[in-house]
Amino acid sequence: MRKSIKFSLLALCISNVIAVNNALAAEDKASTNISTLSKQEFIAEINKLNNEISAKEKATAGLNNQLKELQGKVAQAQQELQKQTSDRDALNNRLQASNAEKADLEAKIKSLNAQVADLQKKADPNVVELLKQKDAAEAELAKVNANVNNQTTQLNKLSEQIKQSTSKVEQLKAQVKPLENQVSGLNTQVKQQQDKLAQITAERKTVADKIAEHNKNQEWVQKYELDSDGVRWRDIHFSGSYNEGESKSKTAAVLGLGSPALVKHFEIITDELERKVLSEQNTPTLPLSQYKPDPDKVNEVLISSAVPENKGKAVGKVFFVNQNNSSYMAWQPIVDRTDAETLSIKEYNDRYTAVSVKNEVNQDTYKAVAAQTPTITYRGHMLNVGGKTGDIELVADLNAQKISGTITNRTVNPLQERRNLALKNGDICVDNRGVKFSGRAVVPLENNPNKLPIDGAGFSGTFAGKNMEEVVGQVYGLPNESTSAFGGSKVTK
């Protein structure tokens, strides 16, 4: 009977091991394909994993039932062992009592024998009585010896039974251990597959989030960045012998000013004789459209060379701000100083500032806005090739066609004009060419008791937006400072 149970358990364990191995193989095969799952395959993989988890949970339940049955047998065997141990202890106690009684009788017999011997020497008349007592004691001793022998035999049998029961308990425990290991292994596999299911679900959510983000980005690109012809109107392209900035959109315009007037962009290249030479190149496209509109954020982006041998090398830096309907920027090429010194280049680079405007304001728009809001305040920033150089506020009186303002919080290098500035007496020009503004009075607000304007300085710009929500322009002629670009958005509060 025991052998048949052992063979049944062995067969069951082998079948479970085969089932687990098959499940693990299927799991390994599935894990190699997770990274390339499509949306439909994600769902199929999740359903498959759920089915595998259910099957393994059923297998775990079966093993748990077997485990409970074996644990019941172990408990029963332990109870039998406890009873046998208790019986053995009782026999030991009785045996000890019998041995004590035997010792007493032997001592009594010895004493009686001594008395008999003594009486025999003295011919005492009580000898007969003592002999009778001696015989009775010896008979009782024989009974006690028989009882002791019987109890000793029983004790030996119980000890053998205890030994066998102990061995049986150990065997059952040995059978329980592999089942416990199998259950633990299956639980681990179930946990791993549940974790994998959670991972796939998380990856699916990540993909869905990325798709949603992409769709959202496409929405703002369509809304702000692409014109009716699908052109990215913010991007500034450079071409021609004058290397002038332009937009490829028919609905946008780029207004720029370089220093010197004809902007030149130089890079170090290798000529036909394998020499390092300075070569005039068109400025690479400035991809302003890749950044979302944020009137308060000054973006700083390195621009890579368009020359094949300099691919990946930063050849310039552009600072810019994207407003909803316009952008303003400052660009400066980069020339490695070691190369420049080797080639005796005194002017390391040139500078260029520009503004890009979508759907410039026309006469009709100006009149309509002036009728509704005759005075508009704009706030924004001023940029140069080093980044932000100040905050600007402009007030446009549309009926009087005048514009003025201030530039504060100046951030400049030690050689440049550090004082806050007032932009005064700007004129707004409205004609069939559009709406522009300009002024020739840039007045320092500190250390200028006579309130004199800076000689040769001025400002100019244009409006942007369906309701003239934005301005962009440039400030030029400041001492020791190249032309700066500025922009601002309409203050609504």
Side-chain angles (χ1 to χ4, degrees):
M1 181 65 179
R2 290 180 181 174
K3 289 183 178 180
S4 63
I5 292 174
K6 289 181 179 179
F7 283 124
S8 298
L9 288 171
L10 180 59
L12 178 60
C13 291
I14 292 172
S15 64
N16 287 334
V17 169
I18 293 173
V20 170
N21 287 335
N22 290 337
L24 287 174
E27 178 188 349
D28 291 339
K29 183 177 180 181
S31 65
T32 60
N33 295 324
I34 288 177
S35 61
T36 59
L37 294 179
S38 65
K39 181 177 179 181
Q40 292 78 10
E41 289 172 333
F42 266 129
I43 297 173
E45 181 67 15
I46 290 172
N47 292 335
K48 181 180 177 182
L49 284 173
N50 282 327
N51 292 335
E52 290 179 0
I53 289 171
S54 177
K56 289 183 179 179
E57 287 175 345
K58 289 181 180 179
T60 303
L63 287 175
N64 280 328
N65 291 335
Q66 295 178 36
L67 183 60
K68 288 179 181 178
E69 182 179 353
L70 283 174
Q71 288 173 340
K73 290 181 180 180
V74 170
Q76 183 179 358
Q78 287 176 335
Q79 288 177 356
E80 293 177 359
L81 178 61
Q82 185 177 3
K83 182 177 181 303
Q84 291 169 351
T85 303
S86 177
D87 292 344
R88 182 191 65 183
D89 293 340
L91 276 174
N92 271 329
N93 292 334
R94 292 199 298 272
L95 183 59
Q96 289 175 1
S98 297
N99 284 330
E101 184 180 358
K102 175 183 175 182
D104 290 341
L105 288 171
E106 287 176 342
K108 185 176 180 181
I109 290 171
K110 184 177 180 181
S111 176
L112 289 172
N113 284 332
Q115 292 180 39
V116 168
D118 186 56
L119 289 172
Q120 284 176 342
K121 290 179 181 179
K122 296 180 180 180
D124 193 322
N126 294 324
V127 169
V128 175
E129 182 62 27
L130 288 173
L131 288 173
K132 288 181 180 179
Q133 292 179 12
K134 172 189 173 185
D135 292 338
E138 288 178 343
E140 184 66 24
L141 177 61
K143 290 180 181 180
V144 170
N145 282 332
N147 188 29
V148 168
N149 291 334
N150 182 41
Q151 290 179 351
T152 301
T153 301
Q154 291 182 26
L155 181 61
N156 291 335
K157 288 182 179 180
L158 279 174
S159 296
E160 182 61 27
Q161 290 177 7
I162 289 171
K163 183 178 179 181
Q164 292 176 357
S165 296
T166 302
S167 177
K168 182 179 179 181
V169 168
E170 294 301 323
Q171 290 175 358
L172 288 173
K173 286 182 177 179
Q175 293 177 15
V176 167
K177 187 63 177 177
L179 286 177
E180 289 177 340
N181 292 338
Q182 287 185 34
V183 170
S184 176
L186 281 175
N187 286 333
T188 300
Q189 292 176 29
V190 169
K191 178 66 168 57
Q192 289 174 347
Q193 289 196 320
Q194 287 173 339
D195 292 343
K196 186 178 292 184
L197 179 62
Q199 179 185 355
I200 291 175
T201 303
E203 289 177 354
R204 182 182 177 189
K205 184 179 183 303
T206 300
V207 170
D209 291 344
K210 287 183 178 179
I211 291 173
E213 182 180 1
H214 173 75
N215 291 336
K216 186 176 181 180
N217 287 340
Q218 287 301 108
E219 289 176 3
W220 74 256
V221 167
Q222 292 288 343
K223 183 176 180 180
Y224 296 114
E225 306 307 317
L226 301 182
D227 63 11
S228 58
D229 295 327
V231 176
R232 295 181 182 272
W233 63 269
R234 286 190 198 275
D235 291 353
I236 300 179
H237 305 269
F238 296 86
S239 62
S241 58
Y242 294 107
N243 195 37
E244 294 177 330
E246 62 181 4
S247 172
K248 291 187 177 181
S249 171
K250 297 177 181 178
T251 62
V254 174
L255 307 175
L257 181 63
S259 175
L262 300 180
V263 179
K264 295 180 180 180
H265 168 63
F266 294 96
E267 291 186 39
I268 305 299
I269 67 170
T270 305
D271 67 5
E272 297 84 355
L273 299 177
E274 300 297 324
R275 297 175 302 182
K276 294 291 185 180
V277 297
L278 185 67
S279 174
E280 183 178 353
Q281 300 289 331
N282 284 333
T283 301
T285 297
L286 305 181
L288 309 188
S289 294
Q290 295 183 13
Y291 298 83
K292 289 184 179 181
D294 186 347
D296 293 322
K297 182 178 181 181
V298 178
N299 299 286
E300 178 182 354
V301 179
L302 290 173
I303 304 299
S304 297
S305 172
V307 178
E309 73 174 88
N310 291 334
K311 184 178 180 180
K313 180 179 180 181
V315 295
K317 180 184 291 185
V318 59
F319 292 91
F320 63 96
V321 174
N322 282 342
Q323 302 183 127
N324 287 331
N325 302 282
S326 60
S327 297
Y328 53 102
M329 52 75 67
W331 152 265
Q332 184 175 34
I334 297 173
V335 175
D336 185 271
R337 287 184 176 271
T338 302
D339 290 338
E341 291 170 0
T342 301
L343 297 169
S344 300
I345 302 172
K346 294 182 180 180
E347 293 294 334
Y348 291 114
N349 43 46
D350 295 308
R351 303 171 180 86
Y352 180 77
T353 55
V355 298
S356 179
V357 182
K358 181 181 181 182
N359 296 321
E360 290 185 274
V361 175
N362 56 32
Q363 286 178 293
D364 294 336
T365 300
Y366 186 90
K367 292 177 181 179
V369 173
Q372 296 292 327
T373 313
T375 302
I376 303 176
T377 300
Y378 301 90
R379 290 197 188 115
H381 308 294
M382 185 165 75
L383 302 178
N384 209 311
V385 292
K388 178 181 172 182
T389 57
D391 296 318
I392 191 168
E393 179 175 298
L394 292 173
V395 178
D397 185 341
L398 302 187
N399 289 334
Q401 295 186 200
K402 290 289 184 179
I403 188 168
S404 60
T406 56
I407 300 172
T408 57
N409 300 320
R410 295 277 282 143
T411 306
V412 293
N413 68 50
L415 296 178
Q416 294 174 343
E417 175 61 61
R418 305 184 190 185
R419 293 174 290 181
N420 294 326
L421 305 170
L423 308 179
K424 294 187 175 182
N425 301 322
D427 295 316
I428 300 175
C429 179
V430 182
D431 56 28
N432 56 6
R433 293 175 297 178
V435 180
K436 303 287 191 299
F437 63 84
S438 62
R440 299 286 296 175
V442 179
V443 182
L445 295 177
E446 295 92 12
N447 301 322
N448 187 16
N450 296 324
K451 301 187 183 302
L452 298 176
I454 298 174
D455 187 30
F459 61 96
S460 62
T462 186
F463 298 90
K466 293 180 179 180
N467 295 301
M468 299 177 61
E469 296 93 344
E470 299 165 7
V471 291
V472 284
Q474 296 171 317
V475 177
Y476 56 89
L478 298 180
N480 300 312
E481 187 172 347
S482 62
T483 300
S484 294
F486 68 80
S489 298
K490 181 179 179 180
V491 178
T492 57
K493 294 183 180 180

